[in-house]
Every structure is written in structure tokens, then in C-alpha cells.
Amino acid sequence: MHLDRAAGDPLVLPGPWDAASARTFEAAGFPALAIPSAAVAASLGHEDGATPADEMFAAVARVVRAVSVPVTADLEGGYGLSPAELVERVRETGAVGVNLEDSDATNGLKDPEAHAEWLAEVRAAAGPGLFLNARVDAYLREGVADPAGEALVRARLYAVAGADCVYPIKAPPADLPGLRAALGDLPVNALALPDGPSFAELGRLGATRVTFGPGLLFRSLRGLADLAAEVRAQAQ
């Protein structure tokens, strides 16, 4: 998945949660998709971060089978699998890339150097054929005194470890230019928000890749709630 993009033209990757949503996004003309773990969790009735690994890999495989475009998948923190087993299971799904997080809800941010070593092992097991997006959670977790500085330290470590892209999730748009400038040619993933900058503006600020997390699922559910209310009203 190449990210050699012109400024202001980031790669926009909708986040499907099942085969039907994936086919809808493909039909709209998107060239690739990025499965968000939180959306899959919600669609399967789990809390975010609580989806069993087997269910997550099965969901990813269903999406990949349903479309002809490349698919990457958020696999949280790797589900406790060894790098070799994680890579093998990703290959079995047919996904071309992974998003791997450097924190969890229970323990907060992981030690950056230890996480970088783990990412390097994932890269070694995968070779160059798997797109590795390293999520940086410095802005996501509470208690970080300097999120921008912490994000930069982590991003540089993950780049050395072999990450193809870094994802400082929930980084304020104003911080993106500084992060991108400090990281040189390393691609940066930004989170799209309904009230946030346009895709083009995110690109001009430094994003080369734009994803949505579970946002598109939640917007779809609001539409479904309206439809359910309409049908209920007709049934009364």
C-alpha cells in the first residue's frame, strides 16, 4: 500500500465493519479499506478491546473475501500472539496491512522501547510485504504531560523498528505539521472527525493517510435509529 501522496491529497480509507459495509465502500470507488477494531467489536456485541482474537480474525477474513480492493486491519495490541503467529494469522485473512496499538485500556501506554522491539520482530516476521501502521496513543491516554513530545519520541522509535506509517490518534490538527516536519518522509495517519478539517486540509497539515476509527459505523447507526423510529411509528 503506497503512500507517496501529493500534499493535500491523502489516501482516504473508510472503515468497514462487515462484508456488506465493505462492499458499499468499494462500490463508492474507494481504492482500499481499513477495518477498525472498535467498529468490529460493536458489530459483534463486544466492548472495544474485548473482541476475542478468533472472532476478530474471522471478521477481517470475511471483509477481505467480500471485496477486490486491498484491506488493512486494526488488530489492537496483537492479542498476546508472538510476532510470528500474528503475522501468520494476518496472512491467513488476506489482509495487506495491520494497525498495531502501543497502549491498552487497562495498563495505559506501553514502554516505547519494548514496544519498538516488538514491532521490529513483527517486521522481521512479515518481511516488506505487510504494511505496518504503528498507532501512537500519547494523545489518547490520560496523564501524558507533553503528548506531542511523547508522540514524536514514540514515532521515531517505531520508524526505526520498521513501521511504514505512524498514527498519532487524536492528535490535534495544529500538531500535525510539527510532527510531520520532525519525522521527515515517514507517512502520518490522521483520524477524520465529523467536525474536523477536510481531508484536503488534513493532507496540507501533513497527513498522508486518513482513517475513521468506528466513526462511520456510529453515523450509520444514527441513520438506522431514524429508520427504526419511522418503522415503529408506522407499526403503531
Side-chain angles (χ1 to χ4, degrees), residues 113-158:
E113 294 186 356
H115 188 65
E117 291 176 4
W118 182 77
L119 289 175
E121 293 176 6
V122 173
R123 169 56 73 210
L130 186 72
F131 188 87
L132 180 54
N133 190 35
R135 204 178 87 176
V136 180
D137 288 0
Y139 291 94
L140 185 65
R141 302 302 176 190
E142 296 180 357
V144 180
D146 177 16
E150 182 69 22
L152 182 57
V153 168
R154 289 171 176 269
R156 283 173 166 161
L157 285 170
Y158 304 161

Side-chain angles (χ1 to χ4, degrees), residues 29-42:
F30 289 98
L33 307 174
I35 300 171
S37 62
V40 172

